[in-house]
Amino acid sequence: MQITIEIPDILGHQLQTNQKNLERKMLELCVIEAYRNGWISSGKARELLGFSTRLELDAFFKQRSVDLNYEMSDLQQDLETLEALQQEDNLA
């Protein structure tokens, strides 16, 4: 989808001066906002930004002070994974 927006000249000049790739910067801002509002998952954010790993996305978010959406269900899943890995280690 292509969207055209009109922004004040002073902001436009500032963005062009400080950003090498304005189109990429606008995509990043949209993805960050969508993630913060829960409109997209971290997996979708990673895909949209072209990162190959979750660590790349985490580093990108950290640089921009974006808190990760981590809920109790995520914690439960991580604990179950940890428990399974510990059991595998004990069997080896």
Side-chain angles (χ1 to χ4, degrees), residues 46-91:
R46 183 177 55 81
E47 178 186 323
L48 291 169
L49 294 171
F51 296 133
S52 57
T53 68
R54 172 74 188 244
L55 293 176
E56 289 176 291
L57 178 68
D58 290 352
F60 171 82
F61 280 162
K62 184 176 181 179
Q63 290 173 340
R64 288 151 183 85
S65 301
V66 177
D67 294 329
L68 298 178
N69 296 334
Y70 193 80
E71 299 181 9
M72 288 302 291
S73 61
D74 298 315
L75 176 60
Q76 183 62 39
Q77 184 175 4
D78 287 346
L79 290 173
E80 290 170 8
T81 300
L82 177 61
E83 187 176 302
L85 289 172
Q86 287 174 333
Q87 287 178 359
E88 286 179 16
D89 191 39
N90 288 338
L91 295 176

